[in-house]
Amino acid sequence: MKLLSAIPSPYGRKVKVLLHEIGETDKIEVVLVSTTPVTTDPSVAAANPLGKIPALIRDDGPALYDSRVICRYLDAQAGAGMYPEARLWDVLTLEATADGIVDAAISMVYELRIRPEEKQFDGWLDSQWAKASRALDALEARWMSHLSGPVDMGQISTACALGYLDFRHGTRDWRNSRPQLAAWYAEFSERESMKATAPE
C-alpha cells in the first residue's frame, strides 16, 4: 500500500505515528507529495476527489481518505486496539477535538499563505484561533485522565495537533494556562513514533 502525504501534514503525521506505534511501518510506502487547495497534485486528485492528503492507496480496493478513516482501517487490519471498544466514544471524541484544532490551525495558515495580502481578514484568524483555544482549554479541563491512560488514537491525534501548533503557530504559546497539557505533551513527544515523524 502507498500513503500519499507531506512532511508538514499533521493528518499525515497521525497515520505515520500510528504505523510506528503498531509496528507496521514496513507495510506502507510513504509517497511525499506537494499539494495545496489551489494547486492539487494529480496523484492526490486521482486518489481523493477532494484533493486532500493523506490518502491510502490499497492493492485490493479503492483508495481511502480522511485520516480518521485511514487510521481506523489500519488499526482494524493490524488488530492493534487503538480504538478500544470500552473507551470508543471517548477516543473518537478526543480524536475529533484534536482534528478540529488542526482544522482551525490549517485554516489560519491558508489565510496567510494562499489568500492575497489585501484580502486577508484578521477577524477570521482570530475566530479560528478562538476555536483552537477553546478546544485546548477543554483538553486541559476534561481530558487529562484519558490522555494519561493507555495509548490510543485520541492521544496520538492530540499529540499531532499540539505538534502542529508548535510548528506553525509557535508564537501563540498554547501552553500558557495549560500546564497539565503541556507536561503531558512534553512526555508524549519523547516517544520514538513522535521523534521519527516530527516535521522539519
Side-chain angles (χ1 to χ4, degrees), residues 10-114:
Y11 299 117
R13 187 182 188 192
K14 270 177 58 179
V15 178
K16 290 181 282 187
V17 170
L18 172 64
L19 289 171
H20 279 274
E21 289 288 340
I22 66 177
E24 296 276 303
T25 54
D26 60 332
K27 304 280 182 70
I28 309 288
E29 177 189 354
V30 178
V31 179
L32 298 179
V33 296
S34 179
T35 192
T36 74
V38 294
T39 308
T40 302
D41 183 286
S43 65
V44 175
N48 177 358
L50 301 174
K52 295 181 177 182
I53 54 173
L56 182 67
I57 300 174
R58 299 183 291 167
D59 301 324
D60 58 353
L64 300 179
Y65 45 87
D66 187 279
S67 62
R68 279 179 268 191
V69 174
I70 295 171
C71 288
R72 283 296 294 268
Y73 172 79
L74 294 174
D75 179 67
Q77 290 293 105
M82 288 294 182
Y83 292 91
E85 194 64 33
R87 304 192 314 276
L88 181 60
W89 302 114
D90 287 345
V91 172
L92 292 175
T93 300
L94 188 54
E95 184 178 15
T97 301
D99 283 0
I101 292 171
V102 171
D103 288 345
I106 288 178
S107 180
M108 294 169 67
V109 171
Y110 288 164
E111 182 73 12
L112 293 171
R113 289 189 167 197
I114 295 176

